Amino acid sequence: MGSINDNLSFKVKPELRYNHDFHNHYYTHFDIGLDWKIRKLFTLGPYYRHINKKKNNDWKVEYRPHLNAIFKWKLFIKLSFSDRNRLEYGIKEDDEFFRYRNKLTIKFPKFTQQMIQPSIAEEFFYDFDEEELNKNRIYAGMD
């Protein structure tokens, strides 16, 4: 990760997943892309995600270019909001899909001497091929 200038950043975001006892590695993805801060409250980011996923002891590959449009704002000075809109095109070995993902995140004020910041989020998925909402995720966590 690194800043190219005040409004443009290069990002690499890896994620590895293991089962509950960290014995079996079953999923990896890498996002590579740019974040272009167009306005103070709006960022646009073209990305590519490369996915390796274990299925029936075989590793499957998925290619997923996507475009993020992110709106950020604060409310009452204490709450931070982020609304990420993503268009993605997935290419698997035996399938392709085109979908829209919307993730709304709320970050609460930091506590414990500015070290921990709780957050909640909801993300829904709209499949353009099926013309339906087909997935919904709810998140809770801390930064």
Side-chain angles (χ1 to χ4, degrees):
M1 281 186 357
S3 292
I4 297 170
N5 61 39
D6 289 343
N7 297 322
L8 192 62
S9 299
F10 175 73
K11 303 278 178 100
V12 176
K13 302 175 186 178
E15 181 176 321
L16 298 116
R17 296 181 189 168
Y18 295 84
N19 66 351
H20 64 280
D21 64 359
F22 291 95
H23 179 70
N24 183 27
H25 172 231
Y26 66 91
Y27 177 93
T28 300
H29 80 240
F30 288 92
D31 282 338
I32 299 170
L34 298 170
D35 278 344
W36 177 27
K37 190 174 184 178
I38 296 173
R39 296 267 189 249
K40 182 180 177 183
L41 304 176
F42 180 65
T43 302
L44 192 64
Y47 277 81
Y48 167 74
R49 177 176 283 185
H50 186 88
I51 300 170
N52 291 301
K53 188 183 321 187
K54 190 185 260 187
K55 189 172 183 177
N56 299 326
N57 288 326
D58 289 329
W59 285 95
K60 304 293 182 184
V61 177
E62 183 179 334
Y63 312 97
R64 195 181 295 174
H66 59 274
L67 180 66
N68 295 329
I70 304 167
F71 297 91
K72 292 183 179 182
W73 69 96
K74 291 188 184 248
L75 188 63
F76 307 119
I77 307 189
K78 300 282 185 184
L79 297 176
S80 298
F81 290 81
S82 174
D83 184 18
R84 189 211 59 213
N85 298 273
R86 176 179 288 175
L87 287 173
E88 62 183 11
Y89 181 65
I91 304 162
K92 299 180 182 180
E93 294 174 3
D94 57 350
D95 191 23
E96 294 180 8
F97 63 86
F98 184 52
R99 69 181 172 195
Y100 168 71
R101 296 169 62 169
N102 178 262
K103 183 178 182 183
L104 178 65
T105 302
I106 302 170
K107 290 188 176 184
F108 297 94
K110 292 180 181 179
F111 63 93
T112 64
Q113 299 175 349
Q114 307 299 320
M115 297 298 290
I116 297 174
Q117 185 174 30
S119 64
I120 58 172
E122 181 177 23
E123 180 177 26
F124 71 83
F125 296 66
Y126 180 82
D127 187 316
F128 287 107
D129 298 327
E130 302 294 325
E131 297 181 350
E132 68 179 7
L133 292 172
N134 64 353
K135 192 183 288 189
N136 188 55
R137 293 180 180 162
I138 296 175
Y139 304 84
M142 291 186 229
D143 289 335

